Amino acid sequence: MLLRTVTPDEVKEMHFDPVDPVARDQAAAILADIRLNGLEGLIDTAVRLKDLETKESKIYYTLAELKPYFDSLDEKAKGVLQRTADRIKSFAEAQRNSISTMTTNVVGGSAGHYISPIEVAGCYAPGGRYPLPSSVLMTAVTARAAGVKTVIVASPRPAAATFAAAYVAGVDALLAIGGAQAVAALAYGVGPVPRCDVIVGPGNKWVTAAKSLVSGICGIDMLAGPSEVLVIADKSCDPNFVAADLLAQAEHDTEARPILVCTDLEVVQSIDACLKTRLETLPSAPTASEALKKGYACICSDIDTAIGVSNIVGPEHLEIHTFNPEEVAKKCTNYGAVFIGAVSAEVLGDYGVGPNHVLPTCGTSRYTGGLSVFTFLRIRTWMNIVDRSAAQNVIQDCVHLARMEGLEGHARAAECRLLPSVNVEANDGNESSAKKAKIA
């Protein structure tokens, strides 16, 4: 069998850290160097790590400079990029329109929240084994839909399609550098690169490590490790579809994790046979074959056990190939994105049906979701108390609660807003009644 078999109990014992400890140390050194040496440090690191051929290589492309790359594509490629961007934008705008500013009455006045975008977004798109113009669109188009004013894309050794996707997304500029060095430039602001309020997008282990280290200096979307897909399958599945979808993720990287959770051993064997057949003609077979060794097949006694295994793993991509996929999906609690039914192939999510393909991995779906317009939005609350008399009860509560916490300055800040007719139990050190009486 290409996929090793494991039991549900063995899955429970598996633990994956989204940040590689060695990569973290290496990323920390790169970040420190660039923070200290600025543009010179960025270029030196980029040349050393082969992002750039020489120190004189161009690193920064404005929107106008991206246009020739778009123009160089054939009409079919242009159309694909534009249609994909339009679908991503449509879904992102629908998400944005699902929330709005609000106002509600509170004691003595009103309160509510405003929704506003961040000012500057840094969008990372991998450019190693394969150029990923789709990631440019997923990140930058979504940022624009959120209303972000300045959008910078970073991608190492960008292909023409990557430049073109950045143009279609309407970014302000593209930084032709990747890895931890790109994260440093986006986080700190280096040379022509503005300091970003948030950094988003998938990347290799050094990108993920660097994002973990700059989190706090700026925001990040998530810690995204190697790609994952978990397929829940039963006798109703098409083994060929399942095998195709497992390989689609396996070809990303030798560290990718294709996982099959199935209620029938014969189905697992059929899927394994399809994997072998498909690998014979797959150009990326060397990579996919190595990734299959990182994955596994978990055979479960029933569908509820399979759901439980999936919830423990919390996969980036969850596909459901069962008799009743909608009902199964409702019982699944941890995943980046769920693809319900045999036709809803994960690859359709990768390439822009609408929902974003930048998703949490390594079980982090337990506490976070995928990239969306909400990643780029801030919800900020406000309060306006205009009726002092009506607010007296809440002011009294604030006085008492502050003293319960031992914060006398807080208590007095509330107490001075009491009307003369309102008494608060006296304490040693409290403001005198005479002082309070003059505030009306």
Side-chain angles (χ1 to χ4, degrees):
M1 295 259 300
L2 291 174
L3 287 172
R4 62 192 171 101
T5 58
V6 301
T7 67
D9 286 339
E10 288 176 309
V11 173
K12 293 178 183 178
E13 299 302 316
M14 297 178 183
H15 301 286
F16 297 93
D17 188 338
V19 180
D20 180 277
V22 175
R24 182 191 290 115
D25 291 342
Q26 293 168 335
I30 291 171
L31 292 171
D33 176 49
I34 293 172
R35 193 168 197 179
L36 177 65
N37 296 307
L39 184 59
E40 181 181 357
L42 174 64
I43 292 175
D44 286 347
T45 302
V47 171
R48 175 171 61 86
L49 297 178
K50 304 190 185 320
D51 282 347
L52 303 174
E53 291 185 4
T54 70
K55 292 184 178 181
E56 288 70 40
S57 298
K58 186 173 179 62
I59 67 168
Y60 202 67
Y61 296 78
T62 65
L63 182 62
E65 291 172 319
L66 298 173
K67 188 176 186 300
Y69 293 96
F70 177 75
D71 292 341
S72 71
L73 300 182
D74 60 42
E75 292 305 312
K76 184 176 181 180
K78 290 179 183 177
V80 167
L81 290 177
Q82 190 60 64
R83 288 191 300 274
T84 303
D86 290 344
R87 289 191 292 265
I88 295 168
K89 180 181 178 182
S90 178
F91 186 84
E93 288 179 340
Q95 284 187 312
R96 177 62 184 86
N97 292 334
S98 71
I99 59 171
S100 61
T101 58
M102 57 81 70
T103 301
T104 189
N105 294 327
V106 298
V107 176
S110 56
H113 70 228
Y114 300 121
I115 300 172
S116 58
I118 61 165
E119 295 289 324
V120 185
C123 300
Y124 190 90
R129 186 174 286 104
Y130 308 107
L132 294 180
S134 59
S135 289
V136 174
L137 297 177
M138 286 286 179
T139 55
V141 170
T142 304
R144 285 294 195 212
V148 177
K149 290 182 180 178
T150 303
V151 178
I152 308 297
V153 165
S155 188
R157 301 176 296 282
T162 303
F163 283 121
Y167 175 76
V168 170
V171 305
D172 291 277
L174 183 145
L175 173 67
I177 289 174
Q181 54 274 25
V183 175
L186 297 171
Y188 304 137
V190 174
V193 183
R195 179 176 177 176
C196 296
D197 300 313
V198 68
I199 299 173
V200 304
N204 61 23
K205 60 185 178 181
W206 292 279
V207 171
T208 300
K211 285 169 69 178
S212 76
L213 292 168
V214 301
S215 177
I217 294 172
C218 62
I220 64 170
D221 51 351
M222 68 196 77
L223 299 175
S227 188
E228 305 164 341
V229 63
L230 186 151
V231 180
I232 298 177
D234 62 15
K235 287 183 178 180
S236 70
C237 78
D238 183 326
N240 191 47
F241 279 13
V242 174
D245 292 351
L246 290 170
L247 289 175
Q249 291 308 302
E251 75 173 353
H252 266 295
D253 190 277
T254 56
E255 296 300 315
R257 283 201 301 156
I259 301 168
L260 173 62
V261 181
C262 188
T263 56
D264 190 283
L265 176 58
E266 289 184 3
V267 173
V268 173
Q269 293 169 337
S270 295
I271 292 169
D272 194 74
C274 290
L275 286 171
K276 292 175 182 176
T277 300
R278 284 183 164 274
L279 279 171
E280 291 174 359
T281 59
L282 189 67
S284 56
T287 299
S289 296
E290 286 301 308
L292 287 172
K293 297 176 184 178
K294 305 291 195 306
Y296 55 84
C298 181
I299 302 169
C300 300
S301 58
D302 53 58
I303 197 67
D304 286 335
T305 303
I307 292 168
V309 168
S310 177
N311 288 339
I312 290 169
V313 175
E316 177 187 17
H317 308 104
L318 171 60
E319 287 194 0
I320 300 175
H321 294 241
T322 62
F323 281 115
N324 52 347
E326 294 85 1
E327 291 304 311
V328 172
K330 290 177 183 177
K331 295 180 180 179
C332 296
T333 56
N334 299 329
Y335 52 81
V338 61
F339 303 85
I340 304 169
V343 179
S344 303
E346 186 278 326
V347 67
L348 301 182
D350 274 347
Y351 293 125
V353 165
N356 213 282
H357 79 197
V358 181
L359 302 167
T361 66
C362 296
T364 57
S365 64
R366 291 181 297 107
Y367 59 83
T368 190
L371 183 71
S372 71
V373 289
F374 308 123
T375 308
F376 303 101
L377 297 176
R378 297 167 292 172
I379 298 179
R380 299 183 287 184
T381 59
W382 58 268
M383 178 184 71
N384 187 14
I385 305 300
V386 295
D387 189 335
R388 184 176 175 185
S389 177
Q392 291 301 291
N393 286 341
V394 72
I395 292 172
Q396 288 184 81
D397 285 348
C398 290
V399 173
H400 288 298
L401 188 55
R403 287 186 174 133
M404 286 170 63
E405 295 186 348
L407 296 172
E408 185 58 29
H410 283 63
R412 294 185 184 189
E415 197 171 44
C416 70
R417 287 167 171 80
L418 290 171
L419 294 172
S421 59
V422 178
N423 293 317
V424 174
E425 182 178 341
N427 273 313
D428 289 343
N430 294 351
E431 289 186 295
S432 68
S433 300
K435 285 183 179 179
K436 290 185 288 181
K438 300 294 184 182
I439 306 301

